[in-house]
Amino acid sequence: MSRIGRAPIELPQGVTFENKDNLITVKGPLGTLTQKVDKSVDVALENGHIVCTRHSDDKDHRALHGLYRALIHNMVLGVTKGFEKSLIVNGVGYKLTVQGNKLVMNIGFSHPVEVVAPEGISFALPQPLEIVVKGIDKQLVGQTAATIKAIKPVEPYHGYGIHYKDETVIHKEGKRATK
């Protein structure tokens, strides 16, 4: 049995769980998330814990067992604590501003780049060149951060561009004058 799939998910105080026709709904203080679950995996609430079980020991069913358990766990974490990703913008003369639900970036192009936040996502600027993407859906937070990062990839010689806060940027050595 899958080690990840068989671990029960503790349901915190103030979070409700509902399973209706393999459509999982988790409601918490930060919002509501839904996830469709494959018919090969049963999800039930037992003694304040969410338990996932599978119908057979087939390879595909084992994989789905762990997958849906992890997705439901991320839903519970999202509606209680939320998720965030931090991005660092590095470059001379670069400026960032947040206007409502829009992130406006002046990052070396001839025009400012605007990124509109999807539903359920918010932007914050704790420092002048740091972007924090926040939300309750882990996949949407990661995808939004990746979209922002792809606008200006890191240049390897000077390190200019956008990268994750915990990412290590590898610098290349420039050309040398020979004797």
Side-chain angles (χ1 to χ4, degrees):
M1 188 173 241
S2 168
R3 283 187 243 171
I4 294 172
R6 70 179 174 205
I9 304 165
E10 185 178 343
L11 204 60
Q13 192 73 14
V15 177
T16 61
F17 166 81
E18 183 182 349
N19 183 1
K20 188 178 280 185
D21 296 328
N22 288 344
L23 182 68
I24 305 297
T25 305
V26 178
K27 294 180 186 176
L30 297 181
T32 303
L33 291 173
T34 59
Q35 174 68 46
K36 185 81 171 149
V37 176
D38 193 75
K39 294 180 182 186
S40 64
V41 178
D42 290 330
V43 183
L45 184 63
E46 297 175 3
N47 299 328
H49 289 77
I50 301 171
V51 179
C52 299
T53 55
R54 63 175 182 255
H55 293 285
S56 72
D57 207 31
D58 186 36
K59 184 178 180 181
D60 293 336
H61 292 178
R62 288 194 314 255
L64 291 174
H65 185 213
L67 168 75
Y68 285 119
R69 189 267 177 203
L71 290 175
I72 294 168
H73 179 66
N74 287 338
M75 290 168 61
V76 171
L77 288 178
V79 298
T80 55
K81 298 177 185 173
F83 294 101
E84 65 180 42
K85 282 259 189 196
S86 295
L87 297 151
I88 302 294
V89 180
N90 187 12
V92 177
Y94 290 2
K95 286 191 279 185
L96 306 171
T97 56
V98 175
Q99 299 171 351
N101 69 338
K102 258 195 296 191
L103 174 67
V104 180
M105 301 184 289
N106 292 316
I107 52 175
F109 295 124
S110 62
H111 58 283
V113 179
E114 294 182 353
V115 178
V116 178
E119 186 70 31
I121 296 293
S122 63
F123 298 125
L125 300 174
Q127 294 179 2
L129 292 177
E130 182 179 355
I131 306 165
V132 177
V133 182
K134 296 180 183 179
I136 63 172
D137 187 357
K138 186 174 185 178
Q139 186 271 334
L140 189 58
V141 168
Q143 183 60 51
T144 305
T147 303
I148 293 170
K149 183 178 183 269
I151 292 171
K152 185 86 171 184
V154 175
E155 185 267 332
Y157 293 102
H158 297 105
Y160 298 154
I162 304 172
H163 62 89
Y164 295 117
K165 188 173 186 175
D166 57 353
E167 179 181 9
T168 303
V169 177
I170 298 173
H171 293 279
K172 288 185 178 180
E173 187 175 336
K175 292 182 182 179
R176 284 193 202 170
T178 56
K179 293 182 182 179

